[in-house]
């Protein structure tokens, strides 16, 4: 078996999701090749070559790949796909955009967001907002899969010495153009990789009040997340949404503040190790999954929590 | 311009699904079904394009057994002009759906195809991208804003880091994210009118597509259940527990 893993990066740094995906690939077994597609991304390839368990890095450095446009990258992946039994990428918005295209071009299905490897052709994935876990077997010639990062411990990032091979193919489909991006800037850890996450919901009342959560986050080295209701109300940007259709997180500690605990929200955080809920309604469903529940007005207890940390 | 919208019948998002005791699947008997929320947003966007004069016809298509005509009628009540059902067993796999949709696109020649980003039953998030690949057309997935500009389409996409805007040559495929719009409710007169709108039925055979899958479902289980923990009485107690019992801070 040989496995192609598509690296997640921003042309400067290799993103952590790649390390979890490599870990999943190692569980499948076989030789692992990492594809780094981007523009001026030699530094990423160098980092990729050091990841434990990676035998080879393919570096496709071309302006057409700078913004990870799915039309271009899927053609590139297809051009190098021959010989691989599995093609994997972390279940990020980038890979979710690209990989189903690759699958269709290879005339196979994609297995989305696997959470466990049972054997090289059998995997587990969550369905119905995490209310059921399906075990699926694929007899497709190539298994194309995205991997839920929180379900696999990251591969080590520093001891390997893979060879780097350049791929010169220019796969510009010419049908899509990058126009702009608005990326949230934050000094806090990334939501999906943070070991502590504190999230606010509709109960926060407005965007300014999220400053209370940020102060707690600063003391704990935490990332700040949100429920969909908080995002929809315009309190905070969309990239903070945790849940079935937002981000999946599984930190050591998750603190839910003013969040009721709808199944779609639970889908994104119930694999956290320890869950704390702060809610003034003692009947709120979030308490059914919380290890520690505090029934209180968040405007009183969140500032107090910040002081006492 | 014609807009084609693909809609799926799924379990209502408020229902907590149960796993069958023999672990073969989830139990959908007597469960409330609905239009997939992302598909509802897709229909709404198409109808708004028509209301704005950008589109002149909205065609909705669903793939499945006769029961999904209920959701097609809902889409017609929301403002779509006509519907197509492609008759298959329920829950065909994404690749088959994409192949069938590609045939419909070839026949209908829409300027834009709108799908949901994700069906909330399978949570697959792949059909739109597959369709775009099969048609060799560009895609704007996870859209939170869509703007037609001549023969180009500008799509703002919700990505992990924030928002990204791309420009696509039309015809293009769009998949909807939650904040693209807020769907309207169907009014009673529109629900009545929808009953008389055309609904064609075709078979996969007629379209020359074999529906099948190389992926088999071996088992469906309950997720590990979390036990509710304890209620603490004060912030002091919470901090103490987190430090000394859970040891996470
Ligand atoms: C297709 C679809 C996908 C979805 N995807 C997601 C998703 O990915 N993520 C997600 O989060 N949701 C998602 N949702 C929405 C979800 O169903 C809920 O509507 C949402 O999670 C509710 O957010 P909330 O808990 O912040 O708001 P609410 O349910 O309104 O809860 C607010 C809570 O705050 C408490 N509160 C209010 N004031 C105070 C106070 N002063 N002190 C303490 N507590 C207070 C209240 O008691 C209440 O429990 C999705 C829905 C659909 C249909
Ligand atoms: N059986 C179906 N009939 C019509 N459209 C579908 C069907 N299955 C999926 N789709 C479309 O594809 C989108 C994404 O579904 P999925 O890739 O399964 O998560 C849905 O929101 C629909 O727009």
């Amino acid at each position: 078996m040989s496995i192609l893993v598509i690296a997640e990066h921003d042309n400067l740094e290799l993103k952590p999701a790649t390390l979890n995906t490599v870990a999943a690939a190692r569980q499948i077994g076989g030789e692992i090749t990492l594809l780094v597609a981007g523009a001026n991304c030699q530094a990423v390839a160098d980092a990729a070559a050091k990841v434990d368990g990676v035998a080879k890095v393919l570096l496709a450095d071309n302006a057409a790949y700078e913004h990870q446009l799915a039309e271009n990258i899927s053609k590139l992946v297809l051009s190098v796909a021959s010989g691989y039994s599995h093609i994997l990428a972390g279940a990020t918005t980038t890979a979710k955009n690209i990989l189903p295209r690759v699958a269709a071009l290879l005339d196979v299905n994609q297995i989305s967001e696997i959470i466990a490897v049972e054997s090289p052709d059998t995997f587990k994935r969550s369905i119905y907002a995490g209310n059921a876990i399906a075990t699926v077997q694929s007899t497709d010639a190539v298994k194309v899969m995205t991997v839920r990062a929180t379900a696999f411990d990251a591969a080590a990032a520093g001891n390997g010495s893979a060879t780097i091979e350049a791929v010169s193919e220019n796969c510009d489909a010419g049908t899509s153009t990058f126009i702009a991006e608005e990326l949230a800037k934050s000094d806090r850890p990334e939501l999906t990789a943070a070991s502590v996450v504190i999230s606010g919901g509709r109960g926060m009342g407005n965007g300014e009040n999220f400053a209370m959560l940020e102060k707690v986050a600063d003391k704990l080295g935490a990332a700040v997340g949100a429920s969909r209701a908080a995002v929809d109300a315009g309190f905070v940007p969309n990239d903070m949404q945790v849940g079935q259709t937002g981000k999946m997180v599984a930190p050591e500690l998750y603190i839910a503040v003013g969040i009721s605990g709808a199944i779609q929200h639970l889908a994104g955080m119930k694999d956290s190790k320890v869950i704390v809920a702060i809610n003034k309604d003692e009947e709120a469903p979030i308490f059914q999954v919380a290890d520690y529940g505090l029934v209180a007005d968040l405007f009183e207890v969140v500032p107090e929590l910040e002081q006492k940390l | 311009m014609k807009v084609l919208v693909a809609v799926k019948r799924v379990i209502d998002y408020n229902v907590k699904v149960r796993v069958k005791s023999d672990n073969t699947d989830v139990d959908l008997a007597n469960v409330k079904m609905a239009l997939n929320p992302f598909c509802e947003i897709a229909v709404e966007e198409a109808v708004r394009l028509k209301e704005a004069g950008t589109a002149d016809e909205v065609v909705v298509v669903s793939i499945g057994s006769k029961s999904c005509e209920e959701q097609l009628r809902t889409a017609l009540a929301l403002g779509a002009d006509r519907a197509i059902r492609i008759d298959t067993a329920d829950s065909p796999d994404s690749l088959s759906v994409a192949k069938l949709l590609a045939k419909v696109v070839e026949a209908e020649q829409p300027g834009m195809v709108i799908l949901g980003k994700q069906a909330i039953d399978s949570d697959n998030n792949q059909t739109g991208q597959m369709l775009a690949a099969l048609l060799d057309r560009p895609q704007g997935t996870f859209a939170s804003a869509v703007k037609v500009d001549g023969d180009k389409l500008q799509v703002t996409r919700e990505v992990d880091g924030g928002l990204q805007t791309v420009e696509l040559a039309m015809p293009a495929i769009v998949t909807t994210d939650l904040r693209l719009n807020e769907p309207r409710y169907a009014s009673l007169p529109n629900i009545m009118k929808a009953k008389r709108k055309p609904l064609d039925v075709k078979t996969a055979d007629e379209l020359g597509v074999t529906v099948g899958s190389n992926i088999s479902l071996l088992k469906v289980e309950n997720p590990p259940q979390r036990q509710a923990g304890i209620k603490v009485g004060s912030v002091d107690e919470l901090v103490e527990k987190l430090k000394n019992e859970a040891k996470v801070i």
Side-chain angles (χ1 to χ4, degrees):
Chain A
M1 269 175 312
S2 56
I3 304 175
L4 181 67
V5 173
I6 300 166
E8 171 89 12
H9 66 91
D10 59 3
N11 295 316
L12 301 169
E13 279 175 44
L14 191 66
K15 297 286 177 187
T18 311
L19 303 177
N20 307 89
T21 310
V22 168
R26 292 182 79 171
Q27 287 187 21
I28 295 169
E31 191 174 276
I32 300 172
T33 301
L34 257 181
L35 171 65
V36 175
N40 300 317
C41 54
Q42 178 71 45
V44 180
D46 293 341
K50 296 203 179 84
V51 175
D52 258 16
V54 173
K56 188 161 82 177
V57 173
L58 296 177
L59 171 60
D61 200 327
N62 189 306
Y65 312 137
E66 182 176 1
H67 299 288
Q68 304 293 322
L69 294 172
E71 297 75 10
N72 302 352
I73 305 267
S74 57
K75 281 193 194 310
L76 169 69
V77 175
L78 191 73
S79 77
V80 301
S82 128
Y84 294 104
S85 56
H86 297 72
I87 301 178
L88 270 60
T92 61
T93 48
T94 310
K96 287 175 178 175
N97 192 34
I98 297 169
L99 224 56
R101 267 190 101 106
V102 173
L105 294 173
L106 291 167
D107 198 28
V108 300
N109 266 292
Q110 172 183 273
I111 307 175
S112 303
E113 279 205 69
I114 62 159
I115 57 170
V117 174
E118 300 290 287
S119 78
D121 67 4
T122 305
F123 310 94
K124 288 193 181 201
R125 56 182 303 265
S126 104
I127 52 176
Y128 292 91
N131 285 309
I133 307 292
T135 305
V136 294
Q137 185 173 34
S138 165
T139 53
D140 274 326
V142 190
K143 277 88 178 156
V144 175
M145 309 190 284
T146 56
V147 174
R148 182 173 294 178
T150 53
F152 296 90
D153 290 330
N159 305 315
S161 56
T163 55
I164 302 180
E165 202 174 284
V167 179
S168 55
E169 227 93 8
N170 177 4
C171 299
D172 190 345
T175 49
S176 59
T177 321
F178 167 86
I179 301 290
E181 65 192 351
E182 259 175 70
L183 299 184
K185 289 207 173 49
S186 164
D187 299 331
R188 294 198 183 81
E190 204 200 337
L191 198 49
T192 52
S195 61
V196 181
V197 173
I198 179 163
S199 292
R202 200 197 310 267
M204 296 302 297
N206 60 42
E208 287 78 65
N209 290 335
F210 267 75
M212 293 193 301
L213 303 187
E214 285 162 12
K215 285 188 193 150
V216 176
D218 288 342
K219 289 216 166 149
L220 294 173
V224 181
S227 72
R228 173 184 169 192
V231 175
D232 281 0
F235 300 173
V236 291
N238 67 281
D239 56 275
M240 286 170 65
Q241 180 178 317
V242 171
Q244 179 189 17
T245 54
K247 288 184 181 156
M248 300 291 162
V249 303
E252 293 289 299
L253 173 61
Y254 187 88
I255 308 176
V257 182
I259 292 177
S260 62
I263 49 175
Q264 293 86 5
H265 188 78
L266 300 185
M269 46 63 80
K270 71 178 158 61
D271 294 330
S272 304
K273 190 156 160 262
V274 174
I275 297 175
V276 169
I278 299 177
N279 196 305
K280 67 178 180 189
D281 173 11
E282 65 173 320
E283 303 292 322
I286 189 77
F287 288 123
Q288 290 162 21
V289 301
D291 300 286
Y292 303 107
L294 181 56
V295 181
D297 187 333
L298 70 93
F299 295 101
E300 283 165 24
V301 296
V302 174
E304 186 185 340
L305 176 64
E306 190 242 300
Q307 274 172 18
K308 290 188 170 150
L309 284 173
Chain B
M1 176 182 71
K2 190 191 285 186
V3 180
L4 184 74
V5 182
V7 299
K8 187 174 186 193
R9 172 185 168 90
V10 297
I11 187 170
D12 185 274
Y13 83 95
N14 281 310
V15 176
K16 188 163 186 262
V17 73
R18 271 175 222 292
V19 173
K20 284 186 184 168
S21 54
D22 64 0
N23 292 111
T24 52
D25 206 339
V26 296
D27 192 355
L28 292 181
N30 304 316
V31 166
K32 186 173 171 215
M33 302 296 279
L35 195 55
N36 182 41
F38 290 98
C39 300
E40 214 176 332
I41 294 170
V43 173
E44 176 68 31
E45 195 63 18
V47 171
R48 288 188 190 186
L49 286 168
K50 190 179 168 192
E51 287 167 348
T54 313
D56 46 35
E57 192 186 22
V58 176
V59 182
V60 286
V61 51
S62 192
I63 297 164
S65 67
K66 188 158 175 58
S67 53
C68 69
E69 289 183 11
E70 195 188 331
Q71 278 62 46
L72 285 171
R73 292 288 172 203
T74 306
L76 293 169
L78 291 172
D81 298 298
R82 66 187 166 87
I84 303 169
R85 177 172 72 85
I86 299 169
D87 186 55
T88 64
D90 282 325
S91 300
D93 71 305
S94 301
L95 185 62
S96 304
V97 171
K99 285 179 180 175
L100 289 164
L101 290 175
K103 293 291 180 189
V104 177
V105 170
E106 277 165 25
E108 296 280 345
Q109 297 286 320
M112 195 191 302
V113 187
I114 316 183
L115 301 89
K117 85 162 176 184
Q118 171 174 347
I120 61 160
D121 50 1
S122 65
D123 282 335
N124 269 333
N125 192 337
Q126 60 183 10
T127 308
Q129 298 87 315
M130 288 181 152
L131 173 64
L134 295 176
L135 297 168
D136 198 17
R137 295 307 309 164
Q139 67 192 36
T141 53
F142 327 144
S144 66
V146 170
K147 203 174 94 206
V148 180
D149 183 7
D151 58 354
K152 296 263 196 278
L153 184 69
Q154 277 218 358
V155 181
T156 303
R157 309 179 48 236
E158 297 203 3
V159 295
D160 285 339
L163 296 171
Q164 182 195 59
T165 304
V166 291
E167 189 174 79
L168 313 174
M170 298 221 283
I173 314 304
V174 170
T175 77
T176 61
D177 216 318
L178 294 168
R179 279 161 289 274
L180 181 58
N181 60 51
E182 216 174 293
R184 70 195 67 190
Y185 291 97
S187 68
L188 200 56
N190 285 344
I191 293 173
M192 299 312 289
K193 258 205 285 190
K195 293 188 175 155
R196 292 187 304 273
K197 289 186 180 175
L199 192 162
D200 281 348
V201 181
K202 292 192 164 70
T203 65
D205 275 353
E206 281 173 66
L207 297 177
V209 174
T210 315
V211 176
S213 180
N214 290 330
I215 296 193
S216 45
L217 186 61
L218 299 185
K219 190 164 65 178
V220 175
E221 298 160 282
N222 279 310
Q225 297 298 314
R226 269 194 101 94
Q227 297 299 319
I230 57 160
K231 293 258 167 67
V232 291
S234 67
V235 172
D236 286 323
E237 193 187 341
L238 176 63
V239 172
E240 191 273 320
K241 295 275 188 209
L242 291 177
K243 277 197 177 131
N244 302 322
E245 193 175 88
K247 300 191 171 51
V248 285
I249 60 171

